[in-house]
mmCIF file of all heavy atoms in Angstrom:
data_model
loop_
_atom_site.group_PDB
_atom_site.id
_atom_site.type_symbol
_atom_site.label_atom_id
_atom_site.label_comp_id
_atom_site.label_asym_id
_atom_site.label_seq_id
_atom_site.Cartn_x
_atom_site.Cartn_y
_atom_site.Cartn_z
ATOM 1 N N LYS A 863 -15.134 10.940 -10.029
ATOM 2 C CA LYS A 863 -14.435 9.639 -10.015
ATOM 3 C C LYS A 863 -15.228 8.539 -10.744
ATOM 4 O O LYS A 863 -14.723 7.810 -11.570
ATOM 5 C CB LYS A 863 -14.236 9.194 -8.553
ATOM 6 C CG LYS A 863 -14.025 7.761 -8.314
ATOM 7 C CD LYS A 863 -13.887 7.451 -6.757
ATOM 8 C CE LYS A 863 -14.032 6.028 -6.368
ATOM 9 N NZ LYS A 863 -15.438 5.507 -6.376
ATOM 10 N N ASN A 864 -16.531 8.473 -10.441
ATOM 11 C CA ASN A 864 -17.348 7.375 -10.965
ATOM 12 C C ASN A 864 -17.780 7.593 -12.397
ATOM 13 O O ASN A 864 -18.427 6.754 -13.003
ATOM 14 C CB ASN A 864 -18.531 7.076 -10.080
ATOM 15 C CG ASN A 864 -18.098 6.502 -8.734
ATOM 16 O OD1 ASN A 864 -16.959 6.033 -8.587
ATOM 17 N ND2 ASN A 864 -18.988 6.509 -7.758
ATOM 18 N N ASP A 891 -7.416 6.680 -7.431
ATOM 19 C CA ASP A 891 -8.037 5.707 -8.356
ATOM 20 C C ASP A 891 -7.671 6.006 -9.807
ATOM 21 O O ASP A 891 -7.528 5.064 -10.615
ATOM 22 C CB ASP A 891 -9.599 5.729 -8.191
ATOM 23 C CG ASP A 891 -10.027 4.740 -7.115
ATOM 24 O OD1 ASP A 891 -9.239 4.342 -6.251
ATOM 25 O OD2 ASP A 891 -11.213 4.320 -7.154
ATOM 26 N N ARG A 936 -12.039 -0.496 -7.555
ATOM 27 C CA ARG A 936 -13.193 -1.193 -8.121
ATOM 28 C C ARG A 936 -13.325 -0.994 -9.654
ATOM 29 O O ARG A 936 -13.692 -1.850 -10.400
ATOM 30 C CB ARG A 936 -14.452 -0.623 -7.430
ATOM 31 C CG ARG A 936 -15.715 -1.305 -7.817
ATOM 32 C CD ARG A 936 -15.874 -2.545 -7.074
ATOM 33 N NE ARG A 936 -17.120 -3.274 -7.280
ATOM 34 C CZ ARG A 936 -17.275 -4.485 -6.821
ATOM 35 N NH1 ARG A 936 -16.301 -5.138 -6.208
ATOM 36 N NH2 ARG A 936 -18.418 -5.117 -6.988
ATOM 37 N N GLY A 937 -12.900 0.230 -10.051
ATOM 38 C CA GLY A 937 -13.069 0.617 -11.472
ATOM 39 C C GLY A 937 -12.237 -0.253 -12.401
ATOM 40 O O GLY A 937 -12.425 -0.215 -13.589
ATOM 41 N N GLY A 959 -11.612 -1.970 -4.595
ATOM 42 C CA GLY A 959 -12.717 -1.073 -4.182
ATOM 43 C C GLY A 959 -12.861 -1.100 -2.688
ATOM 44 O O GLY A 959 -12.245 -1.933 -2.021
ATOM 45 N N CYS A 960 -13.698 -0.220 -2.179
ATOM 46 C CA CYS A 960 -13.838 -0.139 -0.776
ATOM 47 C C CYS A 960 -14.521 -1.440 -0.263
ATOM 48 O O CYS A 960 -15.369 -2.013 -0.907
ATOM 49 C CB CYS A 960 -14.709 1.062 -0.409
ATOM 50 S SG CYS A 960 -13.742 2.566 -0.459
ATOM 51 N N LEU A 962 -17.016 -2.904 1.625
ATOM 52 C CA LEU A 962 -18.284 -2.399 2.198
ATOM 53 C C LEU A 962 -19.243 -3.582 2.470
ATOM 54 O O LEU A 962 -20.464 -3.441 2.411
ATOM 55 C CB LEU A 962 -18.972 -1.435 1.194
ATOM 56 C CG LEU A 962 -18.070 -0.307 0.707
ATOM 57 C CD1 LEU A 962 -18.732 0.434 -0.461
ATOM 58 C CD2 LEU A 962 -17.734 0.650 1.817
ATOM 59 N N ARG A 965 -19.858 -7.518 -2.182
ATOM 60 C CA ARG A 965 -19.969 -6.686 -3.426
ATOM 61 C C ARG A 965 -19.853 -7.671 -4.584
ATOM 62 O O ARG A 965 -18.789 -7.996 -5.006
ATOM 63 C CB ARG A 965 -18.864 -5.639 -3.521
ATOM 64 C CG ARG A 965 -18.969 -4.605 -2.439
ATOM 65 C CD ARG A 965 -17.980 -3.453 -2.692
ATOM 66 N NE ARG A 965 -18.429 -2.615 -3.725
ATOM 67 C CZ ARG A 965 -17.777 -1.499 -4.114
ATOM 68 N NH1 ARG A 965 -16.711 -1.135 -3.438
ATOM 69 N NH2 ARG A 965 -18.269 -0.754 -5.093
ATOM 70 N N ASP A 1153 -22.996 6.780 -1.088
ATOM 71 C CA ASP A 1153 -21.691 7.379 -0.901
ATOM 72 C C ASP A 1153 -21.810 8.664 -0.061
ATOM 73 O O ASP A 1153 -20.760 9.205 0.387
ATOM 74 C CB ASP A 1153 -21.014 7.701 -2.241
ATOM 75 C CG ASP A 1153 -20.596 6.423 -2.942
ATOM 76 O OD1 ASP A 1153 -20.680 5.348 -2.381
ATOM 77 O OD2 ASP A 1153 -20.223 6.510 -4.147
ATOM 78 N N ARG A 1179 -21.389 -0.934 5.748
ATOM 79 C CA ARG A 1179 -20.950 0.427 5.591
ATOM 80 C C ARG A 1179 -21.158 1.262 6.872
ATOM 81 O O ARG A 1179 -21.317 2.452 6.826
ATOM 82 C CB ARG A 1179 -21.698 1.081 4.420
ATOM 83 C CG ARG A 1179 -20.891 2.205 3.832
ATOM 84 C CD ARG A 1179 -21.365 2.681 2.485
ATOM 85 N NE ARG A 1179 -20.213 3.208 1.791
ATOM 86 C CZ ARG A 1179 -20.254 3.757 0.568
ATOM 87 N NH1 ARG A 1179 -21.376 3.833 -0.098
ATOM 88 N NH2 ARG A 1179 -19.180 4.192 0.010
ATOM 89 N N LEU A 1218 -13.342 4.875 1.816
ATOM 90 C CA LEU A 1218 -13.258 6.268 1.273
ATOM 91 C C LEU A 1218 -14.236 7.248 1.911
ATOM 92 O O LEU A 1218 -13.871 8.322 2.399
ATOM 93 C CB LEU A 1218 -13.520 6.151 -0.251
ATOM 94 C CG LEU A 1218 -13.934 7.352 -1.077
ATOM 95 C CD1 LEU A 1218 -13.071 8.582 -0.864
ATOM 96 C CD2 LEU A 1218 -13.873 6.965 -2.567
ATOM 97 N N ARG A 1219 -15.514 6.837 1.969
ATOM 98 C CA ARG A 1219 -16.515 7.799 2.512
ATOM 99 C C ARG A 1219 -16.429 7.869 4.016
ATOM 100 O O ARG A 1219 -16.843 8.899 4.608
ATOM 101 C CB ARG A 1219 -17.928 7.414 2.050
ATOM 102 C CG ARG A 1219 -18.043 7.235 0.513
ATOM 103 C CD ARG A 1219 -17.558 8.456 -0.282
ATOM 104 N NE ARG A 1219 -17.446 8.128 -1.700
ATOM 105 C CZ ARG A 1219 -16.921 8.897 -2.628
ATOM 106 N NH1 ARG A 1219 -16.528 10.122 -2.355
ATOM 107 N NH2 ARG A 1219 -16.861 8.525 -3.907
ATOM 108 N N ARG A 1245 -8.254 8.090 -2.478
ATOM 109 C CA ARG A 1245 -8.751 7.318 -3.639
ATOM 110 C C ARG A 1245 -9.772 8.112 -4.429
ATOM 111 O O ARG A 1245 -9.905 7.992 -5.584
ATOM 112 C CB ARG A 1245 -9.495 6.060 -3.159
ATOM 113 C CG ARG A 1245 -8.646 4.841 -2.843
ATOM 114 C CD ARG A 1245 -9.569 3.644 -2.713
ATOM 115 N NE ARG A 1245 -10.435 3.553 -3.857
ATOM 116 C CZ ARG A 1245 -11.678 3.050 -3.855
ATOM 117 N NH1 ARG A 1245 -12.197 2.550 -2.788
ATOM 118 N NH2 ARG A 1245 -12.389 3.051 -4.955
HETATM 119 C C1 PEP B 1524 -17.608 2.663 -2.806
HETATM 120 C C2 PEP B 1524 -16.944 3.590 -3.489
HETATM 121 O O1 PEP B 1524 -16.127 3.406 -4.532
HETATM 122 P P1 PEP B 1524 -15.646 2.083 -5.254
HETATM 123 O O2 PEP B 1524 -16.873 1.485 -5.918
HETATM 124 O O3 PEP B 1524 -14.712 2.617 -6.270
HETATM 125 O O4 PEP B 1524 -15.032 1.231 -4.193
HETATM 126 C C3 PEP B 1524 -17.115 5.012 -3.185
HETATM 127 O O5 PEP B 1524 -16.804 5.833 -4.084
HETATM 128 O O6 PEP B 1524 -17.482 5.350 -2.037
#
Side-chain angles (χ1 to χ4, degrees):
K863 157 183 166 284
N864 291 345
D891 270 22
R936 185 79 176 169
C960 282
L962 309 170
R965 295 190 72 175
D1153 291 351
R1179 206 166 208 181
L1218 160 51
R1219 309 303 169 186
R1245 276 194 52 211

